[in-house]
Amino acid sequence: MAGNYYFAIVGDKDNPIFEMEISPPSKEAKKEDHRHLSQFIAHAALDLVDEQMWSTSAMYLKVVDKFNEWFVSAFVTASRMRFVLLHDVKNEDGIKNFFMEMYETYIKHSMNPFYENNSPIKSSAFDKKAQMYGRKYLTS
Amino acid sequence: MAKCAQTAAQFITEAFRPRIAVMSSPEVEAICMKNDLTLTELLQPFCKVNQDGEFQYRDPLNSLVTVRDLHLALDDWSLSAPPPAHVARRQLAECVAQSLPPPTGDDGAPAERPESAPWFEAWRQRLLQVEPPGEHEFARRYVACVLAVSSAAAAPLQQLQQLAQHQHQQQHGQPAGGARWFSNNVLIYHLLVTDSGATPVASAEAVFEQVKSAYGAHCCHHLRLNSRRPEHREPHQPDPWAGYVLRRPTNLDGTPAQLSGTETPVEVAELISLPSLVVEGELSSPSHLTTHPLSPEAASGAGSPLPVRAVASAPALSPLGPPAPGAVPAAVAVPAPGGDGTVRDPAAPEVLVNRVSYPSQQAGGVQGHGMCLSASDLDRITIFISEMCIRGLMPHVERQMRALSDVVNNRKGVSRSLISATKRWFGGNKPGAAAANSVIYSHEAPEIQVRRLGDLAFMFGHYDLAYQAYHTAKRDFNADAAWLHFAGAVEMAALSVFLHGAHGKPFPQHYLDQAVTTYLDTCRMPNYALRATLFSTECLKDRAQFTEAALQFIRLTAEDADLKSALLLEQAAHCFLNSQPPALRKYAFHMILSGHRFSKAGQRRHALRAYKQAAQVYEGHGWRLADDHIAFTLGRQSEALQEHEAARTALGSLLAGAAAVETRQSPAQQAAFVREYLHVIRQCDSSSAPGARPPQLPVPHLLSQQTRVLVSPAQQPPADGWTPASGASFADEEEDNAKWFRLEELCLERLGQNSVPFKPTIQCMSDKTNNRHQPRVPASEPVHVQLVLRNPLRVPLELSDLRLQHTFSRTEGGDRGPDGTTPSVTAHTLSRCTLEENATQEVTLSITAHEPGDLTILGYEFSLSLAAAPADSEPPPAGPGAAKETPPAVRGCQPITVRGRRLNGTKEERSGVFYAEDKRLQLRVEEASAQLQLSFCGLPSSLLCGQIHPVLVRLTNSGRRPLLRLMVATPDPHLLALELSPPPDGERWSQVRGGPPPAAGRLCWAQAARLGRVTEVPLPEGGLVPGGCLLRRLWLRAPHADGPRPLELLVCGAAPGPGRPRLLRHAGRLLVTPSAAVSVRPSRSVGPRQSLHLDIQVSGVQPSAAPIVLERVAVAAPGWRLDRTAPVDAAEVQRGETAYLGVVVDRVPVRTAAGDGSTNPTAANDELLNIGSIALTSDSPSMDHKSHQQGGDHPQPGDSDSGLSEWPCVQFLLRHKLQLPPLLPPQSSGPTGAAPEPPSAEGAALAAAVRVDATVLLQWRTQGVDAAGRETTVYGQHHVTAELLDDSSATYPSAAELEPLPPVTIIPSRPPSPPPPHWPGEGVMDRLVTVVPLHRPAVNHNFDRKRLCVIPVTMLVQNHSRCDLVVHLSTVPVGSSSSRRSLPYSSHISSDLVWVGRTHPHVTVAAGGSARLPLAAAVTRPGLYDLGSVGVACRRAGAEATDLTEQSAHTESAVVVRRLVETARAE
């Protein structure tokens, strides 16, 4: 299920605390010029995430927004951290699994007493995990 | 909250108001032009008639309909034709560009939430105007036509006829023209215009009568104008025409349209080259690129004093001169067969020319509109309009409606074309099934008439009827699959319901959606879809369904229509903002999208505005790439709009952001950012005053806190072999400072200038030093500031012409410079410095103050540019041409702000955050002072262990004051020694053994105590004057241990006056390579004299193959004298070889001159030393003058040995003995136990027996290579002090001596604390005394004569201690014989030796003295006997008799007893 993904964890001040692009290894990296578009789309989708999170008790909100070829799936943690994933292919199960794994990873990371909540995540271990789950559930 | 000025209902009714064409004769226009208005313009403000209940008509059912708020649209016929698409496009762009947002962004203030969007309204108004009425709709066609002639014309009636003819021709003559009229018979209304000032009323009335009689009174009107007297002519307040003529350039604050930066020619090309807009092939023709775009009013007719349709005859028809207002209906004279559209295009350039020249010509003469119109004229106009409505329009509408209704009712259900019936049966009736209209209705088809009825009713406010008609039409069209008509009907039906109000049906939103979909997907007519969307969104907004409205807006955006998309996206964004809850982030995103499209459409100001508004949302959340995109766009757009400051701010924040965060932009992107920024800065610079301060640049990053300031006089450059002292430099380790400070303190102590507490002179101030005090720097001496610059970008930056910024305040009454013209301060310029990508670099800048005062360093300025790509820099720059290739740089600055360390002293400071004051950048410039310069000649980089090397030192005072005292301090006095007397002239300084022999060879170790780390250099009388120079020899002697060794030297010069002494440091490095390892082991010699054997072991460990030639051995020991008679040989040691030398020293009787020093162990150092030396070689060229020594075999006590000069070998010998406390107290003393108590005096005296303290000096030479690579002879010396008897001391500690570390104990056990030894141990106590038997070596005895042979033996008891001892001898061996060493002949020793006489004598031996005990031994047969086998024990003189200590040393002394045969008697 090859496709391009952009994953972001957004804090409660609408600040991105983690960002990652996941592309299938076969494709060459996306053009640099459009990377900011991912941010724009993800940021704009927060409006819809905030709207839809109250309409369901599930954490996984499925596709909340769409812009051009991009779908935006979202996941809201118990602490209202928002996981936003941009994808250009449908992959509901994979995305759900990915979100769940990332949720667990995030919880583990946030329990680190040296990590200040809502601050950018600069852990290479976290990064590796995210890459691993991205490969496992999204691009593989 | 972006509210439109119009409500939704207003907007819709405005869009579908009844339209009336105006055709006027040139004379009429001439009359109107006196007011600077055309007839249409003149009338337009009065077309909005709101007379309650006055306009009524009866509908087909004969019920009375009252029209409220009737708003007529009067159109200049000649200008009313829809412009060609590309013109329309430009008009739209123009109207958007000219409706500018309030200038909030210019001053950098944040743009507020959008309150309104006038540009959008203007645009949609214009869009409706330029949109040609569709085939399927009638609401926007002319329902009437006003024909206006002047009563002053020659033949008004004839003219009227001509106009009517023209109208008829327009309506019926050509296929295109007919589409613009509502129906075949429109209302023709005749207007006679009279200039009250020019035409007599009577004649005008007469003409009107004629007109009335010709056309009937109900459709004629006489309008009198210009009744105002010229002297009363003032502009109307308020100007009723202002809103209608507003698009003239003169009303735009004098700003010509092109200055809004909207459409440069390039953008025009870009704009119209978009695919959907290419209508004609001429778009790329130069005329469109060079000419200014049409102003909107050219088409609206508002500003038409132009000879617009001026065909060739226009000038002839315009008697009033260039403005030629009468030329407008020129079609009267020349009916253009091709229609307006074809005439217009070639005329367009003409229009442009006139248009541009228009304001200057017209504005000069007429200051305002309607100058000639009196109040009664205005009243007359109002009356005219309402007359026309009541008497002309309403009856006409009534008639029309009735007729249409009849047609509709009659034909209903009767007729459909065969085709449509077929369609109904076989085709689907869903929109989208057919591609487009396949049904073509005739002009008078009943379905069309239904639609026409609906439009008429809609225009005149009968929405109920309109809805019914539309609904009917909708069904018909749907059945016929006439989708365009269907969509139009659906759209209008929905609007009818909307306008009908609350009591009507629920609003059918799906109708509008259906209309849009049909237009868009089925008919592929996006323009109609757009219009329907505009209506639809208004309706949605009216009912607060903002999100839906936003989605509709977004749906209509297209890739190819930038302006449209931009406006729609912006509206969508506003809708998101207004939705509940406000979707702020959607708003921001769509504003960005909109801004992007605006910029693509060339609407820079709008783009800028949109981006600014969006930026408010994104700001500070850390969406780095988005922020960068916004900042970059803001910068670009601002810069294109000549708003350099704003551009600079935006791009500056972009670069600063890139610096602050780990940026992920690609290098190419960053290079683009930097390039853009530099460009903007350049623009700013060119616009600002030339003397202005350079702007502060965001890159590179200055790490202010790491700034270091170095106050150190400049050293001369190295010249002809002279190397300057290193001085203090930034490279110095901070940890070394303590060492230098301590040296400085020592120097100050010697100078007597020490203050308590000692405050060191900090030469290099950093963030780790204490900077509470201003650094002081003498005038004319440079101050170096080291800046740490970091390039956060991924592109290399190049800085050039770096210079410090500073302020300087001169001290009152201070010395002025040599002349007033020279600046007080010189900031030295660093020409170039390249910062690699992501690199941190240190840059040192210098500044020199020439007079006393206060110098404060504020920052630094530099020129920033992108470093050339490596490919460019590879070829060497060839001349000035290459220099131009480098990217131009911009000047900028950065401030340096420093603060001290955080304070933590008081409670307040601990609970808050306070920082110490930091004055490292605030320099106090003092009077010029003395200045030290130090340079070396022949400074080596590597030496052999023990090598002695002379270095010539030049000390220069390059300051302005004399130096009175000079100190030289070194932390390592063993390494170097400064010769205090000047080097003798004529002698080569490089000669190692230069210098006269010392006057006395007697040295005293106490002299060493006077040596120390600090040496004062005696100066000539008056000190070292400015410019004076001092030449001295500095001797280096490498230590015994190899490896690198720091070579450090501090020169401290005291100048007169209160200032601190000048300091100069040199820190070098010396590599020491191994040469020879020497060890010495002293042992007692057996003999009557008290003497020692010194076994000297020399091992060659030098790396080179050259042998080490031992030249001289000397011994300096208190109480000992070298026995020069003893033979010594061994001269050379090859690598890997070991040589042994043995020398003998004799005990010198203890002198009483030293007082009671014999018992005082510390007094040993005060004793005079006898240095005796033995030359080992005779071939040493430098020792020729000492050759007599070789022959001098006589030991001469007290004689000096001239083979040793005081410099340098004795100096280093002394320094060898020098024991200094560590320069710095140990950092962590830890729980050091109490220092071991010094042994008691008596104990020391006893210990002296084994104490040797002999220093062996071994001089050598070998072949080495000097710095220049020449082979040369190097000299050196080793000294080893043998301290204890039988204990070897070495220069070269062998690796085997590394003791294994004790096991680590976690819990420290009680430290074993043995009681301090008050008493010397066994090793000392059993070696206090030696006994030497003195006897004849052989005894001949005639055993035959006497059976017993008695051998007299004198026991020489030597007391080696400094304590009186009682020595007990025991001739009966008491000790275990096993301890005796067995001699080679011991197996032959007979044991039948019997001591006779005193067998256990004891004797008291004075300190250091000896005693003889006569004993006797008896043997009974010949043989070999050992006479030394006596037990020796001793005790101190005062000790108890039992406290004897057995002595370990036994001397074996063999005696041979031979039998003497009395042969003589036998013979």
Side-chain angles (χ1 to χ4, degrees), chain B residues 571-694:
Chain B
Q571 285 303 307
H574 289 178
C575 287
F576 279 124
L577 192 60
N578 291 335
S579 64
Q580 278 306 327
L584 198 61
R585 290 156 287 201
K586 285 265 175 201
Y587 159 73
F589 181 38
H590 287 93
M591 282 310 276
I592 292 288
L593 292 173
S594 162
H596 178 64
R597 302 305 290 268
F598 268 129
S599 73
K600 272 176 83 178
Q603 301 277 0
R604 292 223 155 112
R605 277 196 192 284
H606 287 290
L608 189 61
R609 176 185 50 76
Y611 268 97
K612 267 183 189 161
Q613 283 171 345
Q616 297 173 90
V617 178
Y618 286 101
E619 224 163 37
H621 285 314
W623 296 89
R624 202 55 246 159
L625 296 170
D627 284 350
D628 285 355
H629 170 77
I630 292 171
F632 186 58
T633 312
L634 284 180
R636 276 201 102 124
Q637 299 293 350
S638 302
E639 200 259 321
L641 292 172
Q642 312 285 316
E643 291 174 2
H644 302 306
E645 281 303 317
R648 208 180 75 195
T649 314
L651 288 172
S653 74
L654 174 69
L655 290 185
V661 184
E662 166 91 24
T663 179
R664 285 163 298 169
Q665 300 281 13
S666 64
Q669 191 95 27
Q670 289 191 342
F673 290 166
V674 176
R675 217 169 285 128
E676 192 74 24
Y677 184 69
L678 295 181
H679 177 66
V680 166
I681 296 282
R682 248 193 321 278
Q683 297 291 324
C684 284
D685 284 353
S686 59
S687 60
S688 63
R693 277 173 67 93

Side-chain angles (χ1 to χ4, degrees), chain B residues 1055-1375:
Chain B
R1060 290 183 76 97
R1062 304 309 313 276
L1063 298 173
L1064 176 63
R1065 57 171 84 156
H1066 171 78
R1069 212 165 176 73
L1070 211 56
L1071 185 68
V1072 182
T1073 51
S1075 58
V1078 179
S1079 70
V1080 175
R1081 186 170 186 279
S1083 57
R1084 278 190 191 137
S1085 63
V1086 180
R1089 287 185 294 167
Q1090 287 196 15
S1091 57
L1092 289 176
H1093 280 279
L1094 297 176
D1095 297 331
I1096 305 170
Q1097 180 184 351
V1098 182
S1099 308
V1101 290
Q1102 74 272 29
S1104 69
I1108 291 177
V1109 181
L1110 304 176
E1111 289 197 320
R1112 179 172 292 264
V1113 60
V1115 176
W1120 300 95
R1121 187 177 58 212
L1122 180 68
D1123 181 5
R1124 270 184 264 157
T1125 57
V1128 180
D1129 45 344
E1132 281 191 3
V1133 183
Q1134 296 279 357
R1135 175 173 56 189
E1137 285 180 347
T1138 303
Y1140 287 90
L1141 305 178
V1143 293
V1144 178
V1145 288
D1146 290 334
R1147 172 76 82 181
V1148 177
V1150 174
R1151 288 170 187 263
T1152 51
D1156 201 13
S1158 57
T1159 56
N1160 186 359
T1162 59
N1165 278 346
D1166 294 335
E1167 285 178 43
L1168 289 177
L1169 291 172
N1170 293 302
I1171 301 181
S1173 70
I1174 299 171
L1176 300 172
T1177 55
S1178 59
D1179 56 340
S1180 173
S1182 59
M1183 292 183 66
D1184 289 345
H1185 63 287
K1186 297 161 197 140
S1187 55
H1188 68 278
Q1189 290 287 344
Q1190 284 179 309
D1193 290 342
H1194 311 287
Q1196 295 172 345
D1199 187 13
S1200 70
D1201 188 346
S1202 54
L1204 297 172
S1205 57
E1206 189 177 357
W1207 287 99
C1209 86
V1210 177
Q1211 271 292 326
F1212 282 115
L1213 185 62
L1214 285 175
R1215 281 164 200 271
H1216 168 70
K1217 290 297 283 185
L1218 183 61
Q1219 296 208 335
L1220 288 170
L1223 186 61
L1224 297 170
Q1227 287 293 319
S1228 59
S1229 52
T1232 52
E1237 285 180 34
S1240 63
E1242 202 168 17
L1246 289 171
V1250 294
R1251 237 187 142 75
V1252 179
D1253 277 335
T1255 303
V1256 174
L1257 177 77
L1258 194 68
Q1259 290 186 325
W1260 49 264
R1261 71 162 195 271
T1262 185
Q1263 295 298 309
V1265 177
D1266 67 358
R1270 288 184 303 257
E1271 186 148 306
T1272 176
T1273 306
V1274 299
Y1275 299 93
Q1277 66 183 30
H1278 278 66
H1279 3 78
V1280 185
T1281 298
E1283 290 182 339
L1284 295 175
L1285 202 62
D1286 296 331
D1287 196 8
S1288 103
S1289 313
T1291 60
Y1292 204 74
S1294 61
E1297 286 187 13
L1298 269 179
E1299 281 183 17
L1301 289 171
V1304 176
T1305 51
I1306 304 297
I1307 302 165
S1309 58
R1310 256 182 89 81
S1313 52
H1318 291 282
W1319 218 243
E1322 277 294 304
V1324 175
M1325 291 302 285
D1326 64 358
R1327 289 194 287 177
L1328 296 176
V1329 173
T1330 53
V1331 173
V1332 180
L1334 300 177
H1335 56 90
R1336 288 182 295 165
V1339 175
N1340 293 327
H1341 185 75
N1342 189 345
F1343 285 93
D1344 296 334
R1345 279 180 60 183
K1346 193 175 182 183
R1347 297 292 298 266
L1348 198 66
C1349 174
V1350 177
I1351 306 165
V1353 178
T1354 303
M1355 288 290 179
L1356 180 63
V1357 181
Q1358 292 173 332
N1359 180 0
H1360 297 278
S1361 74
R1362 304 225 172 158
C1363 194
D1364 293 350
L1365 293 176
V1366 179
V1367 180
H1368 295 248
L1369 289 186
S1370 161
T1371 53
V1372 178
V1374 287

Side-chain angles (χ1 to χ4, degrees), chain B residues 334-480:
Chain B
V334 184
D340 277 348
T342 50
V343 178
R344 185 170 308 222
D345 281 343
E350 249 177 276
V351 171
L352 300 181
V353 173
N354 287 349
R355 192 62 208 88
V356 172
S357 62
Y358 171 74
S360 58
Q361 290 185 0
Q362 285 296 320
V366 187
Q367 264 104 41
H369 302 302
M371 298 293 278
C372 302
L373 297 179
S374 65
S376 56
D377 286 341
L378 300 186
D379 285 344
R380 279 188 208 111
I381 296 172
T382 315
I383 291 167
F384 157 63
I385 297 291
S386 76
E387 275 289 300
M388 182 172 72
C389 287
I390 293 167
R391 299 182 59 189
L393 202 53
M394 285 304 145
H396 176 74
V397 167
E398 200 175 307
R399 276 199 306 279
Q400 283 271 321
M401 209 178 278
R402 205 172 293 259
L404 286 171
S405 185
D406 287 347
V407 172
V408 169
N409 288 334
N410 291 342
R411 301 221 180 162
K412 184 169 270 181
V414 174
S415 150
R416 293 240 158 67
S417 68
L418 191 63
I419 301 166
S420 67
T422 326
K423 271 237 169 279
R424 207 170 338 144
W425 291 116
F426 297 106
N429 60 348
K430 286 269 185 234
N437 269 357
S438 53
V439 184
I440 297 170
Y441 295 103
S442 76
H443 199 54
E444 299 294 333
E447 291 87 353
I448 296 298
Q449 298 292 47
V450 176
R451 164 78 204 226
R452 193 172 273 160
L453 172 64
D455 280 348
L456 190 63
F458 191 92
M459 275 193 286
F460 288 93
H462 194 348
Y463 299 116
D464 203 12
L465 178 64
Y467 174 73
Q468 285 168 17
Y470 286 136
H471 201 258
T472 312
K474 173 185 96 99
R475 271 187 287 142
D476 292 348
F477 292 137
N478 191 20
D480 292 346

